[in-house]
Structure formats: C-alpha cells, structure tokens
C-alpha cells in the first residue's frame, strides 16, 4: 500500500501539487462514492414528475435509455481526462492544462466558476429535494398535515449542517462510511423493483404500448408539440446522471487514483443507466391511472409505491430512498468542498488562499467544507423570499456542470497538436483512433442539444412563476465571471499554480511560466507552473 501511495503522490507532484490528504479511499469506497453521487432511486424519485406528467410513460422509459447511452459517452470522455489529471481540481485543472499557455488563466477561471456554482446548486437542490421527500412521507401518513415554506427551509438547513458536521470527520471515517452507500443505493432500488412487481396484479399492469408505445405519449405541457413534450423526459436522466467528475475531486484521497477514479466513473454510469431503465419500466407498468398522480404527497414515485404496497410498506422502503438522497448530499458536499479547496489553492478565490488550507487535526479542508455548507444554504433561504429565484438557481446545476465538462473535452481535441499542449493519457484511455474521437464528438454534441432542452419552459402558458431561468443564469455566470476576471481577478489568478517547494520543483522538472501581467509580484510568479511531463 505504501508503494502505491508513493506512486500516487509522485504523480500528483508531477502535476504541480504537494500531497496534502491521506489516501484512505479503497477501490470499493471509490466505486461506492461514484454510485452514491448519482443516487439512483432517490434521484429518480425527485425527478419522475417531470417526464411522467409532461410527456407521459413512453417519455419516461425511452428518454432514460437514450439519455443514459449518451451519458455513457460523456462519462467515458470525462474518465479519460480524470485518469490523466487525478487532482481534486478535476476538470477545472485539466481545462487549464489542455489549452495554450496564453489562455490557461481565463479558461481555468470560467470552468472553475461554472463547476463550483454548478456543484453548489447541486448540493442545495439535492438537500432541498431530500427535505421535500421527508415531508412527502409525513403528508402520506398524516393527510391533515400543513406544509409551509418555513418548515421545508428549516429542515433543509438542518440537514445541510448535519452533512457539514459529517464531512468534518477525518478521511478514514468518510471512506469507511462511504463503502456502505452503494449497497443501500442499489439494494433499495432492486427491492423496490421486486416488491412493485410482486404486489401489482397482472390485470392492473399497463400494456406494453402504454409503457413503450404511442399510447404512452401523453402531452400535458399545454402548448408544446408531442415531440418536445417527449424530449422533456430527458430532464430526469440528465439530472440523475450528472456530477460525473465528483470522483475526480476526491482523487487526492484515493489509492491508485489514476486507475480507481476513472474506473469508478465508468462502472457507475453503466450500472446507473441499466438499473435505472429497469426501475423506470417497472414504475410505469405499475403506475395506475395517470390522472391520480402525483397525489397528495406531490411525488409520483411515492404515490405509486403507496398504491401498490400500501402505506406502511411504502413508507418503510421510502425511508431507504430518503437515506440514498442523504448519501447523495453527503458525497456532493464532500466533492464540492474539495473543488473549493483546489480553486482557493490556485488563488482562484479572492481569499488569499484561506480556504485552500488543510486542518492538521483531520487532514481535510475544514474551512472549505464549512464555506461550501454556508454557500449551499443560501439558495434555500432565498426560497422564503422568492421561490422563483430559488428554483432558478436549483435549475442551474445540470447546465453549469455539463458545460464545465465538455469544455476540457473540446479543448483536448481542438488543441491536440498545439506545441503548448501535450496530453499524456492515463491508464484509462480510449486510444487515438475513431473510438475516442466518436465518444468525444457525440458527448459534446449531445450536451449542447440537452442544454437547449434544459432551457425550455416546461409548461404553457409561460408566466413569471413557471419560466425556466436556468439558461439565463448560466450565461450570466459566464459573463460575470469573465468581467470579474478582466477587471480584477487577473491580478491574483494566473491558472493552476504549484504549491511545491523549490527543491521538489527542481527534482521533478517543473518549468515556471511567467504570466503576461507585469503587475504581479515575484512570489506569485514563482507559483505559476506547467509540468514538463504534461505540457
């Protein structure tokens, strides 16, 4: 194990960073982390209303299959880059290394902010979804219960504080706990599938034409044609199968990171895609009359379980669905805090590296963890003042993350022969031929297409209350981050910067790169780097 850790640390040093974390995540813990960040049954539970009630059962089943196949090309392309750059900066660090030196700072800056804000919105929306799932169970058991925004936001904030406390534990405890997440996640999904099939009379199951055919296209958008209504079903699978690079953000805590992190992404995408399709098919078979959904709970998923299993059994299994969502929020906060740490370490935040600090007691970035926790609570509090604004921020997740994913994939191809860029593949590599190129082109094209779908209003007539503001916020993030960089941030941020001492730099052959700006200090110049192995 010591030799493996040494190899990982040497590889990290070659990328310009001092090993600061303990590598406690085994192969099982890493795979479990990758599965948990997607949270199959809980993510389907929180998003099922959208495809089912807008496009119908056929939209649920076919859009999941189509979306998961396309997500496989994106997951493979991301895994390839993560294998080459196994740092907690993830695709943010990779983006800056896959473009010419003159562009590294601005590219790293924009991708970094897209990724951080997408992850913060993801943590916040996942936790908000968990709070609503818990209150949905209360509504089923106590039909007279009156839910208020204050109760939802209060539970949301309390859950985030609990996750902040759990993430403050040392890495060995986090790794130990994470190992069990995958068994709850996949186990709950499989049990729900079996119990639904066992408790639904054959005579009450829907026909194949309802689940897979034209009978199952039920357009309830109020204005879109059947084609658009059908494609809105992609929102569920794309929201579920996102945050692929979360495993990359813990790679400095993973043993054999260049192997384990990309393999975990690859396995999780395949497993989630296949099992998720089966779950959606069974849910549609057993769904009962669509006019009775989503029911008193507001969750079509829970209402189907109650219809077929009865309230006690449904609530018992629902507790495991909620536990899966709890694990999603736990791993999402873990990954996001490491991204904040990495961005601060590279002087991307105006904090003089304050959040890029590792606590000696736990060897974890406690400052970044609690900064991320507080930042994630803010959108929830915004719900008290303006639910429209809060939902718009929640909707930012998929677009911001997906855009931050395809930028490094695009850069790797467009600058493949540039003298400043020398992409050195890691152990997970699809090769220089048609396979890798096809996967890259497909995932870029698909992501751009899906971002258009993400930007459409889902129902008509469009009002200020149901307008989809996700694209406006995503473009605003890019624009404002660019303005911030030009006006101020270029003085303290010059792209990924080494935190190695001069002796280590000399030993491994890091070349210093002088930023174009003449206003920075000699100390700042010393930190801007490019590895002779990677560029």
């Amino acid at each position: 194990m010591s030799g493996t850790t040494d190899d990982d640390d040497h590889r990290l040093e070659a990328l310009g960073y001092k090993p600061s974390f303990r590598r406690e995540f085994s192969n099982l813990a890493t795979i479990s982390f990758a599965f948990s960040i997607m949270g199959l049954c809980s993510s389907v539970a929180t998003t099922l209303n959208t495809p089912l009630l807008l496009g119908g059962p056929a939209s649920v089943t076919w859009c999941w299959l189509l979306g998961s196949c396309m997500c496989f090309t994106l997951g493979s392309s991301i895994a390839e880059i993560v294998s080459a750059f196994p740092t907690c900066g993830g695709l943010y660090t990779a983006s800056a290394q896959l473009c010419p030196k003159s562009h590294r700072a601005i590219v790293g800056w924009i991708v970094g902010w897209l990724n951080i804000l997408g992850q913060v919105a993801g943590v916040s929306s996942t936790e908000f979804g968990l709070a609503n799932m818990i209150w949905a169970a209360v509504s089923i058991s106590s039909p007279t219960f009156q839910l208020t925004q204050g109760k939802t936001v209060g539970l949301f904030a309390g859950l985030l504080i609990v996750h902040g406390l759990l993430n403050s534990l040392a890495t060995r405890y986090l790794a130990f706990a994470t190992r069990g997440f995958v068994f709850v996640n996949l186990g709950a999904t499989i049990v729900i599938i079996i119990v639904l099939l066992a408790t639904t009379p054959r005579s009450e199951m829907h026909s194949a034409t309802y689940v897979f055919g034209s009978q199952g296209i039920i357009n309830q958008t109020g204005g879109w044609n059947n084609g658009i209504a059908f494609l809105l079903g992609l929102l569920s699978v794309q929201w579920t199968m996102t945050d692929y690079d979360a495993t990359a953000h813990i790679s400095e805590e993973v043993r054999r990171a260049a192997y384990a992190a990309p393999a975990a992404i690859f396995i999780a995408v395949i497993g989630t895609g296949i099992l998720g399709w089966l779950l959606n098919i069974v849910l549609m078979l057993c769904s009962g009359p669509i006019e009775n959904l989503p029911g008193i709970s507001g969750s079509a998923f829970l209402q189907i379980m109650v219809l077929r299993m009865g309230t006690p059994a449904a609530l018992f299994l629902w507790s495991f669905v909620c536990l899966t969502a709890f694990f999603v929020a736990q791993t999402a906060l873990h990954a996001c805090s490491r991204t904040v740490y990495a961005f601060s370490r590279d002087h991307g935040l105006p904090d003089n590296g304050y959040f890029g600090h590792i606590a000696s007691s736990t060897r974890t970035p406690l400052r970044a963890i609690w900064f991320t926790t507080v930042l994630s609570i803010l959108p929830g509090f915004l719900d008290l003042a303006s639910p429209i604004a809060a939902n718009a921020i929640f909707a930012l997740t998929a677009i911001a993350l997906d855009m931050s994913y395809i930028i490094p994939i695009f850069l790797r191809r467009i600058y493949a022969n540039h003298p400043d860029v020398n992409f050195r593949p890691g152990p997970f590599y699809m090769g220089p031929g048609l396979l890798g190129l096809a996967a890259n082109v497909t995932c870029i094209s698909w992501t751009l297409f899906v971002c258009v779908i993400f930007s459409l209003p889902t129902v008509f007539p469009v009002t200020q209350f149901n307008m989809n503001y996700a694209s406006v916020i995503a473009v605003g993030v890019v624009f404002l981050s660019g303005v911030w960089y030009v006006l101020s941030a270029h003085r303290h941020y010059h792209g990924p910067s080494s935190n190695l001492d001069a002796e280590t730099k000399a030993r491994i052959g890091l070349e210093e790169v002088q930023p174009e700006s003449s206003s920075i200090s000699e100390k700042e110049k010393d930190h801007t780097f490019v590895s002779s192995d990677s560029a």
Side-chain angles (χ1 to χ4, degrees):
M1 185 182 299
S2 177
T4 300
T5 300
D6 288 343
D7 291 342
D8 285 325
D9 289 346
H10 291 328
R11 189 178 187 89
L12 184 61
E13 287 178 343
L15 292 170
Y17 296 109
K18 178 177 65 177
S20 301
F21 294 91
R22 290 193 176 95
R23 296 187 180 272
E24 303 282 1
F25 275 76
S26 62
N27 289 341
L28 174 60
T30 308
I31 291 172
S32 181
F33 189 97
F35 268 105
S36 298
I37 199 71
M38 297 184 191
L40 176 54
C41 61
S42 64
S43 295
V44 171
T46 54
T47 59
L48 181 63
N49 284 13
T50 299
L52 178 59
L53 302 181
L54 294 179
S59 174
V60 174
T61 52
W62 288 117
C63 282
W64 184 279
L65 179 62
L66 173 62
S68 59
C69 289
M70 295 298 102
C71 287
F72 176 67
T73 65
L74 181 56
S76 301
S77 299
I78 289 173
E80 192 174 46
I81 293 177
V82 169
S83 184
F85 300 94
T87 78
C88 61
L91 299 182
Y92 144 69
T93 301
S95 297
Q97 296 292 346
L98 291 171
C99 63
K101 297 174 184 177
S102 58
H103 301 159
R104 281 177 182 161
I106 186 63
V107 168
W109 176 261
I110 291 176
V111 173
W113 276 111
L114 274 175
N115 198 263
I116 287 176
L117 294 181
Q119 286 191 72
V120 168
V123 172
S124 192
S125 60
T126 300
E127 205 75 270
F128 210 82
L130 173 57
N132 281 318
M133 289 167 66
I134 294 172
W135 289 128
V138 174
S139 298
I140 288 290
S141 59
S142 302
T144 58
F145 174 76
Q146 294 294 319
L147 179 61
T148 64
Q149 285 179 303
K151 291 175 182 177
T152 302
V153 172
L155 180 58
F156 155 84
L159 288 168
L160 261 171
I161 290 172
V162 169
H163 281 122
L165 292 170
L166 291 175
N167 269 288
S168 298
L169 298 173
T171 304
R172 65 178 179 276
Y173 300 119
L174 294 175
F176 178 80
T178 302
R179 285 185 294 181
F181 291 177
V182 66
F183 299 107
V184 175
N185 183 3
L186 301 186
T189 304
I190 293 169
V191 170
I192 289 171
I193 290 173
I194 294 172
V195 175
L196 280 174
L197 291 174
T199 56
T200 304
R202 180 66 185 87
S203 60
E204 295 182 14
M205 287 187 180
H206 288 293
S207 65
T209 55
Y210 181 83
V211 178
F212 299 102
S214 57
Q215 186 184 344
I217 300 178
I218 303 173
N219 186 346
Q220 299 187 73
T221 61
W224 288 119
N225 60 40
N226 286 348
I228 297 296
F230 177 85
L231 289 173
L232 290 174
L234 293 169
L235 299 175
S236 177
V237 61
Q238 294 293 145
W239 198 90
T240 300
M241 300 180 69
T242 191
D243 215 357
Y244 305 90
D245 72 327
T247 311
H249 297 305
I250 65 163
S251 60
E252 293 182 32
E253 301 164 76
V254 173
R255 300 171 197 151
R256 301 176 72 248
Y259 295 87
I265 295 171
F266 188 80
I267 293 169
V269 170
I270 293 176
T272 299
I274 294 173
L275 194 56
W277 196 44
L278 293 176
L279 175 62
N280 278 291
I281 290 173
V282 171
L283 285 167
M284 295 305 98
L285 282 171
C286 306
S287 59
I290 193 170
E291 58 269 19
N292 294 339
L293 300 174
I296 190 173
S297 67
S299 168
F301 191 107
L302 177 56
Q303 204 65 36
I304 293 169
M305 291 173 62
V306 170
L307 172 67
R308 298 308 179 189
M309 306 175 193
T311 299
L315 291 180
F316 175 74
L317 288 179
W318 187 250
S319 66
F320 288 96
V321 178
C322 291
L323 190 59
T324 300
F326 187 88
F327 295 156
V328 176
Q330 172 70 15
T331 50
L333 181 58
H334 185 164
C336 187
S337 66
R338 273 37 174 191
T339 311
V340 170
Y341 160 80
F343 205 44
S344 176
R345 178 176 64 180
D346 289 339
H347 308 288
L349 298 176
D351 65 339
N352 198 28
Y354 180 79
F355 295 113
H357 172 266
I358 296 292
S360 58
S361 57
T362 61
R363 292 285 293 275
T364 57
L366 291 180
R367 294 175 184 174
I369 289 169
W370 284 102
F371 175 70
T372 305
T373 301
V374 172
L375 203 59
S376 300
I377 288 176
L378 295 181
F381 283 153
L382 185 61
D383 186 72
L384 293 173
S386 173
I388 300 173
N391 289 331
I393 292 176
F394 294 156
L396 172 67
T397 304
I399 290 182
L401 287 178
D402 283 352
M403 292 305 296
S404 74
Y405 296 158
I406 63 171
I407 289 174
I409 299 170
F410 175 78
L411 292 175
R412 189 206 143 195
R413 289 295 175 181
I414 202 71
Y415 291 118
N417 299 316
H418 195 281
D420 285 350
V421 179
N422 180 22
F423 176 72
R424 295 175 64 87
F428 186 97
Y429 183 46
M430 290 185 285
L434 183 60
L435 176 63
L437 178 61
N440 293 166
V441 172
T442 299
C443 74
I444 291 172
S445 303
W446 174 256
T447 300
L448 293 174
F449 168 72
V450 167
C451 284
V452 174
I453 301 298
F454 279 151
S455 303
L456 299 176
T458 55
V459 294
F460 282 85
V462 178
T463 68
Q464 61 175 329
F465 301 105
N466 61 25
M467 177 60 187
N468 187 343
Y469 296 97
S471 59
V472 177
I473 295 179
V475 171
V477 167
V478 174
F479 175 76
L480 291 177
S481 64
V483 171
W484 184 7
Y485 178 80
V486 171
L487 295 180
S488 172
H490 68 276
R491 297 188 179 93
H492 62 80
Y493 179 74
H494 312 290
S497 52
S498 176
N499 62 356
L500 297 175
D501 56 46
E503 181 181 346
T504 305
K505 286 182 182 180
R507 173 171 57 82
I508 64 176
L510 280 183
E511 302 171 3
E512 291 183 14
V513 179
Q514 303 301 326
E516 294 179 359
S517 174
S518 59
S519 62
I520 65 172
S521 66
E522 291 301 316
K523 180 179 179 181
E524 287 174 314
K525 288 181 179 180
D526 182 61
H527 283 297
T528 306
F529 77 96
V530 60
S531 170
S532 59
D533 289 336
S534 59

